[in-house]
Amino acid sequence: SGMAMVISTIGLFLALMATATLFPVMVQKGSIELLLCRPVPRWRLVVARFFGGVAIMTFNAVYLMVGVWIVMGLKSGIWNTSFPLSTILVVIAFVFLYVIVMALSLISENAAVGLLAGYAVLMFSPVLAAHERITPAFSTQLYRDVFRSMYWVMPKIAELIGAMRRMIAGTPMELTAVLWTSALFTAVCF
């Protein structure tokens, strides 16, 4: 489970980096004229590029996780089927981060802005996930409320990666609130 969490975190960093330029390149001079000369609405171009990036990442994640599972299974003789199934959680986490990269890259016409925002959400997600332990340290109720609000508004990537550990270990997990609040954020960004 530890290996799956490390692979997924590093994989998310690399996948965001690999797909971050899909949107700013689309709106650069020369590219946008070529795309818009066809009778295709702009929203269809954005949706197609988004799902293309998700498809590329999904293929790579499945290839990596199944490959690691096969190698580890052959070496150790332990075949935990939850290990390759945990790829679903990595893909969902990527979608939640990739929509941030997409939205900010299109608004700013700069891949670096979207990529940095995606990385910031990925890196601060564990801090927000610990909101139950952190908020009592704040001096005023306003700061506590703001911090808790940030937790409920932002996508919960740390919880999804932590759910991989629980899924592989076979312990029960409750992801309903995590998935719904993150999906709502994703829908608003999209």
Side-chain angles (χ1 to χ4, degrees):
S1 65
M3 180 175 272
M5 292 172 64
V6 169
I7 289 172
S8 64
T9 304
I10 293 171
L12 284 172
F13 271 102
L14 295 175
L16 289 174
M17 188 181 301
T19 56
T21 59
L22 287 176
F23 297 102
V25 168
M26 180 181 78
V27 294
Q28 286 179 346
K29 188 174 172 101
S31 297
I32 193 70
E33 286 88 2
L34 178 64
L35 293 172
L36 293 178
C37 71
R38 297 184 184 114
V40 179
R42 192 176 294 215
W43 68 268
R44 289 178 82 188
L45 294 172
V46 171
V47 169
R49 288 213 176 213
F50 179 81
F51 285 113
V54 171
I56 290 167
M57 190 279 180
T58 301
F59 174 77
N60 288 334
V62 168
Y63 180 72
L64 177 66
M65 293 296 275
V66 170
V68 168
W69 176 67
I70 289 171
V71 169
M72 284 178 30
L74 290 173
K75 293 283 185 181
S76 68
I78 299 170
W79 296 93
N80 185 344
T81 55
S82 297
F83 186 87
L85 288 176
S86 68
T87 308
I88 295 167
L89 295 174
V90 176
V91 172
I92 292 170
F94 175 77
V95 169
F96 293 158
L97 289 171
Y98 192 48
V99 75
I100 297 168
V101 173
M102 176 198 72
L104 291 176
S105 293
L106 282 173
I107 290 169
S108 68
E109 297 181 9
N110 188 345
V113 172
L115 189 59
L116 288 174
Y119 284 168
V121 170
L122 180 59
M123 290 171 41
F124 287 114
S125 183
V127 175
L128 291 174
H131 72 282
E132 299 272 336
R133 294 184 305 248
I134 293 173
T135 52
F138 290 132
S139 60
T140 65
Q141 185 62 34
L142 175 66
Y143 295 152
R144 289 185 205 110
D145 292 340
V146 167
F147 196 77
R148 282 189 190 112
S149 298
M150 286 175 57
Y151 169 75
W152 287 108
V153 168
M154 299 303 291
K156 288 135 193 75
I157 307 303
E159 283 90 338
L160 286 172
I161 293 173
M164 289 178 66
R165 180 181 42 80
R166 290 190 303 276
M167 181 181 200
I168 293 169
T171 57
M173 57 185 169
E174 178 57 40
L175 289 175
T176 307
V178 168
L179 290 175
W180 283 110
T181 57
S182 299
L184 181 61
F185 177 86
T186 301
V188 169
C189 283
F190 204 78

